[in-house]
Amino acid sequence: MLKNFIRIAFRGLLKNKAFTIINILGLAVGLATCLLIVFYVFDELSYDRFNLNANHIYRINMDMKYGGNVASYAITPPPLAATLKNNYPEVERSARLIHDQGVRVKKEGEYVQEEKVVYADSELFDVFTLPLIAGDPKTALTEPNTLVITESTAKRYFNDTHVLGRVINLSDNTNYKITGVMKDIPSQSHFNFDFFFSIAQRADAKLADWNNFSYTTYVLLKAGTDPKAFEAKLPALMKKQLGENYAQLEQSGNYFHLNISPLTDIHLKSNRQYELGANSSASYVYIFSAIALFVLLIACINFMNMSTARSANRAREVGVRKVLGSSRGFLIVQFLSESLLITFCAAIVSVVVAWVLLPLFNEVSGKHLSVTLQVFSWFIPIMLLIILLVGLLAGSYPAFYLSAFQPVNVLKGKVATGFKGGRLRNFLVVFQFSISIFLIIGTLVIYNQLNYIRHKNLGFNRNQVMVIKDVGVMENAKMFKQEIKHLAVVKNASLSGFLPTGVVRAPDEVFRNRSVNPKSALFTEVWPIDDDYLPTMGMGLAKGRNFSHQYATDSLGVIINETAARMLGFANDPLNKTVYRATNSANQPIKEYHVIGVVKDFNFSSLRDNITPVVMFFNDDQGALSIKMESKNTAAFITQVQKIWNQFAPNQHFSYSFMDQDFDAAYRTEQRTGKLFLIFTALAVIIACLGLFSLAAYAAEQRNREIGIRKVLGASITTIVTMLSKDFVKLVIISFAIAAPLAWLTMNKWLQGFAYRQNIQWWVVILAGSGAVLIAFATISLQSFRAAAANPVESLRDGD
């Protein structure tokens, strides 16, 4: 019997090849889109789950209110890890990481800048599943001046993985012995480094300084431990360790609170300062999961609409089958068999399409997705389930609708009841276009916000600023700067590694009075700059003057931003006010500075955050050289700069970037999301239009005789096209009325994640609505015009 159903279904599909091809393509596009999103979602949800003890590993965080600032950090004091392990029975293991500045590693006679560098405890391998292919994980990082490198790094530097005992030389003439080679860390990890240096060589790692927040701390809790109960003990620990300082903090309304984050939540649910890598957001997983579901539903609705569009053609077939004795149940199974067969064919096509498009999808999404045996373990069962669900869902309405035809009415030609009678079909069209309009508005809002970020006045000019990194490796960086300034296209240059490109730096304290009481503290970023910094960055002064070598007292001067002036209480008259800073000197524990200028507020962090205070000191810093240039031939300019670099640092790799690109990189997630939104929105609209096209064909088919009579009576093609289109256009307008407020609320909530944002403009909503109406009208008009242009004699003859 099943074989018979399949054979009849296959024969019926071949009989109507155009219908079959359109249906398969519509479903295939929907399924392929769904598959790609499922790959994306599974990848996002799989972060850090390669660790065998992933469900028992937690990171310790710190929430802080101090000096007028409220912040969340992913770093803690150096002694916390050992204290937790030794004094809390719930803790089985603990480990620390500290991601400092990059290092320059000697490679083939040249020192190459490496940024994926971290210092780690020897207990790292007890907490995380990071298998070594060479070396002993228990001793690999116990000694100073040792390190573990990844497998790919070993091949990159030595063309081999058998490198135990080999030495890596840094630009500061220190040597490190390789004591382990680990397998490459999976890409689904919230941290991914190439060099793991032993933490034993760091002096600050051994300090019992509970006021120094710099280390990322992880704990492996014993099985059966209640994480909430463990977390509840942490505030008492900080209170005990800080002693009187903690009491002063509480009295002044400030606090330091420790809490924990499950390892598997870090990638999607953590957005703290000093994260070890760029995390994503759970909201994007929810959004794309909803898009996958909606696109799949739109594809299923298309199948229903296209099947009902053929109802008049198949009505006589149903009538004849019923007269010959076929039961309604038999017909339902027959139509469901056709639906499942189409879905199966569409699934095969969708798998091929998804596989072909996977490299392009990886490029757009920034992922490294691939089809592996592990993927097949969940892919095949899910695919079979999707085929079954989609086949039954898409085929259920046509099956029950067509099988309900009465043979007497069918054979008398009384099947068609008109388009207006199809309430369910109307609902399906409204549902389709509500989703499409929602996605169109969402896409326009995202692109509008990204465009706002790209063109917002940030308080500095990032265009045509070349940044040469790590100039401190050369003996005379100041002379190098002067040589660069002599180039004809260079307007100015500044030596400072503190750049306004979204890099989080360690904050420090500045006090309003000599008592250094927490009540008078300002927790601020402290930037050492030179006298060329402000003009190079195009920053303006609100009050006062810039640093100058002509004033000897500028060594004790500071320039503060407008936010710092307000928070210090200096907003009205900041010049020559005095601020204080604690030092490590026993002879002069408190140092006094005077304000010589106030720089206009500028966005040096993400536009998701409000501008925070900055205090600038007149000190040397050779982290980078920023060059403001005016050159149309960038390649030639880079060559000129590299020649000068090679004169001052002959054995050092030349590394540079452009400030506008560094700034844009901070919003790469939003840019990728915008591109994916655009792609999925376009697909959703295309699929919805396929359904609308089929319904237009259905309406024209039902009103074929009416159209012929109207034409005989003198109706124009325009009149007939309007008659056939107006009902559909009304449905699209209703869809707009439903989707617009929902999209407004949803995207407005998304925009709340940006401290600086472009409010949703009225034209965005109007453009989305009018665009949807025009697209729908164009789709309908194609079919309506063909029906209106047909010979009325033929339609009247067919209606007899």
Side-chain angles (χ1 to χ4, degrees):
M1 182 65 73
L2 179 61
K3 184 178 179 181
N4 184 53
F5 280 134
I6 295 174
R7 186 172 63 251
I8 295 173
F10 189 73
R11 188 186 303 158
L13 294 177
L14 288 179
K15 184 179 178 182
N16 301 277
K17 293 179 182 178
F19 163 82
T20 303
I21 291 172
I22 293 175
N23 242 338
I24 289 176
L25 286 178
L27 270 178
V29 171
L31 285 171
T33 303
C34 184
L35 282 177
L36 290 173
I37 295 177
V38 166
F39 270 109
Y40 174 88
V41 170
F42 266 76
D43 184 77
E44 288 289 284
L45 295 176
S46 66
Y47 265 71
D48 294 304
R49 296 186 185 277
F50 63 88
N51 291 284
L52 297 178
N53 295 313
N55 294 328
H56 301 292
I57 301 173
Y58 294 82
R59 187 186 66 193
I60 312 297
N61 309 310
M62 182 191 70
D63 292 333
M64 177 205 74
K65 181 182 179 183
Y66 188 75
N69 289 349
V70 177
S72 298
Y73 295 99
I75 51 176
T76 56
L80 177 64
T83 302
L84 292 175
K85 181 183 177 183
N86 296 331
N87 298 285
Y88 288 78
E90 302 96 329
V91 177
E92 183 175 338
R93 301 282 184 181
S94 65
R96 298 172 299 173
L97 294 174
I98 179 168
H99 177 44
D100 213 340
Q101 295 181 346
V103 298
R104 284 185 170 263
V105 182
K106 192 172 185 179
K107 180 185 179 185
E108 298 176 355
E110 183 182 54
Y111 287 98
V112 178
Q113 181 73 14
E114 294 284 358
E115 299 292 345
K116 299 174 73 172
V117 174
V118 73
Y119 292 85
D121 273 327
S122 58
E123 291 84 359
L124 176 73
F125 304 106
D126 295 327
V127 175
F128 296 97
T129 305
L130 300 172
L132 299 186
I133 61 175
D136 184 355
K138 296 185 181 300
T139 60
L141 294 174
T142 54
E143 298 295 328
N145 292 89
T146 58
L147 84 159
V148 172
I149 60 177
T150 60
E151 184 177 6
S152 60
T153 304
K155 292 177 180 177
R156 181 155 51 94
Y157 274 84
F158 303 103
N159 294 319
D160 194 3
T161 57
H162 301 288
V163 295
L164 288 185
R166 302 282 290 270
V167 172
I168 278 184
N169 176 254
L170 304 188
S171 58
D172 61 359
N173 291 322
T174 55
N175 294 322
Y176 293 84
K177 184 173 72 171
I178 298 174
T179 53
V181 178
M182 70 166 66
K183 288 185 178 180
D184 288 342
I185 301 174
S187 58
Q188 295 87 5
S189 173
H190 78 282
F191 65 79
N192 211 314
F193 298 102
D194 293 332
F195 296 83
F196 290 78
F197 289 91
S198 172
I199 219 168
Q201 66 213 50
R202 294 183 64 96
D204 60 350
K206 302 174 184 177
L207 293 176
D209 184 0
W210 288 86
N211 291 300
N212 171 18
F213 296 90
S214 54
Y215 282 77
T216 305
T217 302
Y218 300 91
V219 292
L220 172 62
L221 299 183
K222 293 179 180 177
T225 299
D226 182 358
K228 293 294 182 183
F230 170 72
E231 185 179 43
K233 297 180 179 181
L234 298 180
L237 171 63
M238 287 300 296
K239 190 172 184 178
K240 175 184 177 182
Q241 297 297 336
L242 293 177
E244 294 181 3
N245 290 338
Y246 197 87
Q248 289 183 346
L249 282 172
E250 288 185 325
Q251 291 172 7
S252 60
N254 297 312
Y255 58 78
F256 288 157
H257 289 165
L258 296 179
N259 56 66
I260 62 176
S261 290
L263 178 67
T264 52
D265 283 357
I266 292 175
H267 177 67
L268 291 178
K269 298 181 180 179
S270 182
N271 187 29
R272 295 173 173 269
Q273 296 187 41
Y274 298 98
E275 297 279 356
L276 291 179
N279 292 334
S280 184
S281 171
S283 62
Y284 293 132
V285 172
Y286 301 144
I287 289 170
F288 286 122
S289 297
I291 290 175
L293 178 62
F294 288 150
V295 169
L296 194 58
L297 285 175
I298 288 174
C300 292
I301 290 170
N302 276 357
F303 183 91
M304 298 180 190
N305 288 339
M306 293 187 73
S307 295
T308 54
R310 295 177 62 237
S311 60
N313 291 338
R314 304 202 67 177
R316 194 176 297 274
E317 175 192 343
V318 172
V320 171
R321 283 178 178 272
K322 282 195 171 185
V323 169
L324 295 176
S326 294
S327 65
R328 187 184 181 191
F330 182 92
L331 292 173
I332 289 173
V333 174
Q334 181 61 56
F335 289 129
L336 287 177
S337 299
E338 290 183 11
S339 174
L340 287 169
L341 186 59
I342 287 177
T343 306
F344 179 76
C345 295
I348 294 175
V349 174
S350 71
V351 170
V352 175
V353 170
W355 180 70
V356 170
L357 294 179
L358 192 58
L360 179 61
F361 183 78
N362 282 335
E363 184 178 343
V364 174
S365 64
K367 289 288 185 182
H368 302 283
L369 306 176
S370 60
V371 180
T372 62
L373 291 176
Q374 185 179 4
V375 170
F376 274 105
S377 65
W378 59 262
F379 173 77
I380 293 177
I382 286 181
M383 202 63 204
L384 292 175
L385 182 63
I386 288 176
I387 291 172
L388 184 63
L389 290 177
V390 171
L392 294 177
L393 177 64
S396 57
Y397 172 60
F400 285 96
Y401 174 75
L402 293 173
S403 64
F405 287 166
Q406 296 299 318
V408 175
N409 293 331
V410 168
L411 297 176
K412 286 183 178 181
K414 297 181 179 180
V415 175
T417 58
F419 175 74
K420 294 181 181 178
R423 293 182 179 178
L424 179 58
R425 288 190 297 276
N426 293 354
F427 168 78
L428 294 177
V429 171
V430 170
F431 182 77
Q432 280 185 315
F433 272 87
S434 294
I435 295 172
S436 300
I437 294 170
F438 182 97
L439 292 176
I440 291 171
I441 294 175
T443 302
L444 290 175
V445 169
I446 289 174
Y447 268 87
N448 197 34
Q449 175 65 12
L450 291 176
N451 187 62
Y452 172 76
I453 291 171
R454 205 170 288 119
H455 297 97
K456 183 184 182 299
N457 182 7
L458 302 170
F460 68 95
N461 188 352
R462 64 184 185 271
N463 296 321
Q464 286 206 311
V465 178
M466 181 182 183
V467 179
I468 303 175
K469 301 172 183 177
D470 203 22
V471 293
V473 297
M474 58 182 61
E475 293 183 2
N476 198 333
K478 290 184 178 180
M479 184 66 70
F480 174 66
K481 169 188 165 182
Q482 294 304 319
E483 288 293 322
I484 294 296
K485 289 180 72 173
H486 289 153
L487 296 176
V489 297
V490 173
K491 297 180 66 177
N492 215 325
S494 172
L495 272 173
S496 178
F498 289 74
L499 306 175
T501 51
V503 179
V504 178
R505 303 167 186 86
D508 205 344
E509 297 169 310
V510 172
F511 298 92
R512 285 188 289 271
N513 56 57
R514 187 176 288 275
S515 67
V516 297
N517 189 287
K519 290 183 179 180
S520 70
L522 175 68
F523 215 49
T524 176
E525 291 209 10
V526 176
W527 292 14
I529 66 171
D530 62 13
D531 53 337
D532 289 319
Y533 187 88
L534 297 184
T536 300
M537 299 299 165
M539 296 176 180
L541 284 166
K543 294 179 181 178
R545 62 176 177 83
N546 189 15
F547 292 122
S548 174
H549 288 288
Q550 296 178 0
Y551 299 94
T553 56
D554 276 8
S555 62
L556 293 175
V558 293
I559 296 175
I560 61 178
N561 68 347
E562 292 173 307
T563 298
R566 286 194 302 271
M567 296 180 73
L568 286 167
F570 300 161
N572 295 328
D573 187 22
L575 299 181
N576 297 317
K577 287 291 193 297
T578 303
V579 295
Y580 303 87
R581 188 182 183 195
T583 70
N584 295 325
S585 172
N587 297 327
Q588 192 181 9
I590 304 298
K591 203 167 184 178
E592 184 177 309
Y593 296 86
H594 59 280
V595 178
I596 67 167
V598 177
V599 66
K600 292 179 181 179
D601 274 344
F602 59 94
N603 289 96
F604 58 88
S605 185
S606 169
L607 288 178
R608 302 179 191 92
D609 306 320
N610 289 307
I611 294 175
T612 54
V614 177
V615 177
M616 299 176 172
F617 291 84
F618 196 24
N619 285 334
D620 289 336
D621 181 83
Q622 298 180 3
L625 177 68
S626 301
I627 308 168
K628 181 66 176 179
M629 61 175 184
E630 276 189 348
S631 175
K632 294 182 179 179
N633 191 342
T634 304
F637 175 71
I638 293 172
T639 302
Q640 283 183 301
V641 174
Q642 187 170 7
K643 286 181 180 179
I644 300 174
W645 168 275
N646 291 335
Q647 294 172 14
F648 284 84
N651 296 319
Q652 301 290 341
H653 180 70
F654 178 64
S655 178
Y656 69 92
S657 64
F658 287 91
M659 189 172 288
D660 55 348
Q661 296 173 357
D662 293 340
F663 184 85
D664 290 343
Y667 302 96
R668 195 164 289 146
T669 299
E670 281 75 19
Q671 291 169 356
R672 288 169 176 166
T673 302
K675 289 180 181 178
L676 291 175
F677 248 96
L678 179 62
I679 293 169
F680 295 142
T681 298
L683 289 172
V685 171
I686 290 170
I687 296 172
C689 286
L690 277 175
L692 202 60
F693 184 84
S694 64
L695 274 186
Y698 170 65
E701 183 179 19
Q702 285 196 321
R703 304 177 72 172
N704 194 30
R705 188 172 185 180
E706 177 189 348
I707 292 170
I709 294 172
R710 286 180 179 273
K711 289 196 70 177
V712 169
L713 295 176
S716 66
I717 291 178
T718 303
T719 303
I720 294 174
V721 169
T722 303
M723 176 192 72
L724 293 173
S725 303
K726 65 180 181 179
D727 291 327
F728 294 102
V729 173
K730 285 179 184 178
L731 295 178
V732 177
I733 293 173
I734 293 172
S735 302
F736 172 73
I738 295 172
L742 292 176
W744 184 288
L745 291 172
T746 303
M747 298 314 298
N748 192 57
K749 185 176 180 180
W750 177 77
L751 286 172
Q752 299 306 310
F754 294 86
Y756 302 91
R757 54 187 175 269
Q758 180 76 49
N759 292 326
I760 300 176
Q761 304 294 310
W762 62 268
W763 62 264
V764 169
V765 180
I766 298 300
L767 180 63
S770 58
V773 172
L774 288 174
I775 292 171
F777 183 75
T779 303
I780 298 162
S781 297
L782 289 173
Q783 183 63 38
S784 300
F785 182 82
R786 189 173 71 174
N791 189 340
V793 175
E794 296 296 329
S795 59
L796 291 174
R797 181 186 297 137
D798 292 341
D800 292 335

